[in-house]
Amino acid sequence: MGELFHVGQCPGCRQGWLILQRNLSSGDIYAHCEECETGFITPDDLLSPVNGFLTVLEEYDYETENPDKEEISRTVWANFIVKKVPVE
């Protein structure tokens, strides 16, 4: 398993971590709530839970992978506080 990076707690459910994921179809990196399955395209979207999208809907059913720190540094998430997730 590769490294995981998060950008805080989900503003919607307030329970899950927002793990950064890369959409393999578009190459976009977005924050994905591990608890409620909501996705957020940009840090600005985190200001309101209604700005997110439900990642389990068929229209958003795409493959993802974990981006590395260098990939994240080239995106809109670069200036956001990104923390490494402790993986056992």
Side-chain angles (χ1 to χ4, degrees):
M1 175 184 250
E3 294 180 318
L4 298 175
F5 296 93
H6 77 84
V7 292
Q9 266 190 323
C10 178
C13 72
R14 299 189 189 282
Q15 294 179 13
W17 290 111
L18 292 171
I19 305 295
L20 293 179
Q21 293 287 289
R22 183 176 352 94
N23 173 340
L24 293 180
S25 299
S26 68
D28 293 334
I29 293 179
Y30 68 98
H32 181 167
C33 177
E34 63 179 350
E35 188 69 29
C36 70
E37 304 293 339
T38 300
F40 299 90
I41 300 294
T42 70
D44 289 340
D45 292 341
L46 299 176
L47 298 175
S48 173
V50 297
N51 293 333
F53 61 95
L54 189 56
T55 61
V56 294
L57 293 178
E58 190 172 311
E59 65 188 274
Y60 299 113
D61 187 22
Y62 42 72
E63 291 190 43
T64 64
E65 67 182 17
N66 303 325
D68 61 30
K69 188 80 168 176
E70 185 177 324
E71 292 171 301
I72 295 167
S73 73
R74 296 187 305 259
T75 69
V76 296
W77 297 99
N79 294 325
F80 204 78
I81 297 171
V82 176
K83 298 177 184 166
K84 188 174 177 180
V85 175
V87 179
E88 298 175 14

